[in-house]
Amino acid sequence: MNATAGQHPSAQTLAMLERLVAFATVSRNSNLGLIEEVRDYLTGHGVSSRLTYDAKGGKANLFATLGEPSNPGIVLSGHTDVVPVDGQDWATDPFVTTLDGDRIFGRGTADMKGFIAVALAMTPELLARPGDTPIQLALSYDEEVGCLGVRELLRDIAVTGVKPLGCIIGEPTGMEVVIGHKGALAFECYVHGRECHSSLVPQGVNAIEYAARLIGRVREIAERLAVEEQRNFGFDIPHSTLQTGTISGGIAVNVVPRSCEFQFDIRHLPGTRWSGLFEEIQAYARDELLPAMRRIAPESRITFRQIIDIPVLEADADAPFTHYVQDIAASRGAHYVAFGTEGGLFQQAGIPALICGPGSITQAHKPNEFVLLDQLARCETFMRNLANGPA
Ligand SMILES: [Zn+2]
């Protein structure tokens, strides 16, 4: 990424970014204000939108086709939610875009309202695209909390009966073309034992100690993969990882704890069967820990609940769609990134997906998030190449 020899994006893009950032669409908030503004903007260009809502009706996805909806299109996908700013030390108001030199600061400028702003600002050009393949906008809610909203959007696309040709996820990649990311799974494990006074330890079942043994097994699997798993050097961390991220349990030092809860995640390479790793952990709980616990307390139990499921993305590096996107991005690379995206879910739905968007993931989720003007300008060039039609 070049921080000095910068081009400038259009006034339309900057104005659109300002409007989008002004909606504080932190995942816990409603995104309806933003979605309705985008819907009205598109209506003004003669484009109708399909909205799909969450169970409470407080959040929505938007899907719109710039062109003939009965033709399979190319999807530009972006999530409308942003991560919180609570407790972060911002130099400016995070929900007001602030231009400083070659940068625009604001929550979501990189992740990923910059991409959405460029796509919307260039709607007139995308509408004029020659050929039969329309551009389609897919804006989702609740990506940052586990890619939740896009699942409803994908069900709605299936209802239309027209499967898109491919999807470009505009997460920040410095406008490089990314063809893959790891899968991310997270689980909550609840260990239930029997409490008693700590002077009578053998009469109780210490839930924290059994949880610790399970956590140790998670760690052992992680260490084994770090040594034995076949490497994919496209990733910074070229193997799958597991780790425990939270734990709670016990009420006092002199009480054998009855319950303990922890959460762990698995981030696995494309091609690694994560379910086998999870089964190994479950089998250890079922076959080795539980029998010992139940000899003392028959009510003992260990339960697992999956809390995050972001499937792996692994695009075909030689597919025509990949080459097309590399052409319009003027990027011959085929990179991998560490973070998860909605791309794996599009791929699961049978829609080829790639990631390419303005900004850097290293600026995302932090205070003073920014995007370089040059990155927005490069994204405009990308959209212009897309608008010019088939290669
Ligand atoms: Zn994002």
Side-chain angles (χ1 to χ4, degrees):
M1 200 159 60
N2 190 333
T4 49
Q7 299 171 347
H8 267 254
S10 69
Q12 286 90 332
T13 289
L14 294 181
M16 186 59 77
L17 183 57
E18 181 179 5
R19 284 162 76 180
L20 297 179
V21 169
F23 292 97
T25 50
V26 176
S27 307
R28 62 175 178 252
N29 300 340
S30 169
N31 74 339
L32 288 184
L34 184 153
I35 289 291
E36 287 165 3
E37 174 136 333
V38 172
R39 179 196 60 196
D40 294 348
Y41 168 81
L42 292 172
T43 303
H45 286 92
V47 176
S48 58
S49 301
R50 297 173 69 94
L51 267 51
T52 44
Y53 294 85
D54 72 341
K56 290 181 186 156
K59 297 172 183 175
N61 302 303
L62 180 148
F63 187 68
T65 300
L66 311 184
E68 176 49 53
S70 58
N71 291 343
I74 295 173
V75 177
L76 302 177
S77 164
H79 61 82
T80 61
D81 59 322
V82 295
V83 294
V85 297
D86 309 71
Q88 293 187 339
D89 189 14
W90 282 74
T92 60
D93 183 337
F95 299 108
V96 176
T97 50
T98 306
L99 182 62
D100 186 2
D102 58 358
R103 301 167 177 198
I104 300 179
F105 291 87
R107 173 57 88 221
T109 48
D111 185 13
M112 54 181 290
K113 290 177 172 175
F115 177 81
I116 299 172
V118 173
L120 290 173
M122 294 186 67
T123 288
E125 285 168 73
L126 294 169
L127 268 170
R129 188 175 198 271
D132 298 328
T133 304
I135 300 303
Q136 302 183 293
L137 302 176
L139 307 186
S140 65
Y141 62 84
D142 279 357
E143 189 272 352
E144 294 288 4
V145 289
C147 295
L148 304 180
V150 74
R151 294 164 208 258
E152 200 54 50
L153 189 149
L154 284 165
R155 273 192 285 275
D156 184 55
I157 290 177
V159 166
T160 67
V162 185
K163 184 183 284 186
L165 298 174
C167 174
I168 299 159
I169 313 276
E171 292 277 359
T173 65
M175 292 310 297
E176 299 292 331
V177 177
V178 166
I179 63 166
H181 61 64
K182 290 182 180 178
L185 298 306
F187 301 89
E188 190 167 81
C189 176
Y190 175 71
V191 180
H192 185 93
R194 177 181 284 179
E195 70 189 342
C196 68
H197 194 284
S198 69
S199 64
L200 304 170
V201 161
Q203 295 175 12
V205 173
N206 188 313
I208 290 179
E209 291 179 2
Y210 279 100
R213 291 173 68 178
L214 264 172
I215 291 167
R217 177 53 66 100
V218 170
R219 172 78 194 183
E220 279 169 32
I221 294 170
E223 288 175 358
R224 187 182 75 217
L225 291 170
V227 174
E228 292 177 3
E229 193 184 30
Q230 175 151 10
R231 299 292 196 260
N232 179 338
F233 288 105
F235 291 100
D236 288 346
I237 309 293
H239 52 80
S240 303
T241 59
L242 293 84
Q243 69 108 27
T244 300
T246 70
I247 184 165
S248 68
I251 53 167
V253 72
N254 58 355
V255 178
V256 170
R258 184 181 57 194
S259 64
C260 182
E261 223 169 50
F262 64 96
Q263 297 176 326
F264 64 98
D265 75 359
I266 302 176
R267 290 178 179 263
H268 67 93
L269 292 177
T272 294
R273 214 172 61 87
W274 68 265
S275 56
L277 305 175
F278 180 50
E279 277 160 21
E280 189 177 333
I281 295 162
Q282 285 180 300
Y284 179 61
R286 182 184 62 235
D287 301 336
E288 296 191 43
L289 301 185
L290 263 183
M293 295 166 75
R294 286 184 170 155
R295 271 196 291 277
I296 295 160
E299 74 274 22
S300 298
R301 63 182 192 275
I302 299 175
T303 55
F304 295 90
R305 188 170 71 89
Q306 186 167 358
I307 51 176
I308 289 178
D309 173 17
I310 300 175
V312 84
L313 173 67
E314 190 178 26
D316 179 353
D318 293 318
F321 182 66
T322 305
H323 289 153
Y324 174 67
V325 174
Q326 287 171 330
D327 284 344
I328 60 175
S331 158
R332 299 287 357 144
H335 302 275
Y336 291 88
V337 289
F339 56 94
T341 75
E342 295 172 338
L345 289 161
F346 276 91
Q347 182 179 268
Q348 262 187 359
I351 303 165
L354 298 164
I355 316 168
C356 183
S360 166
I361 197 70
T362 59
Q363 272 108 48
H365 296 206
K366 289 204 280 205
N368 305 317
E369 176 179 350
F370 70 89
V371 66
L372 288 169
L373 292 173
D374 181 61
Q375 282 287 306
L376 294 175
R378 283 182 59 184
C379 188
E380 287 177 344
T381 304
F382 175 88
M383 296 285 178
R384 198 156 290 124
N385 292 341
L386 185 64
N388 285 336

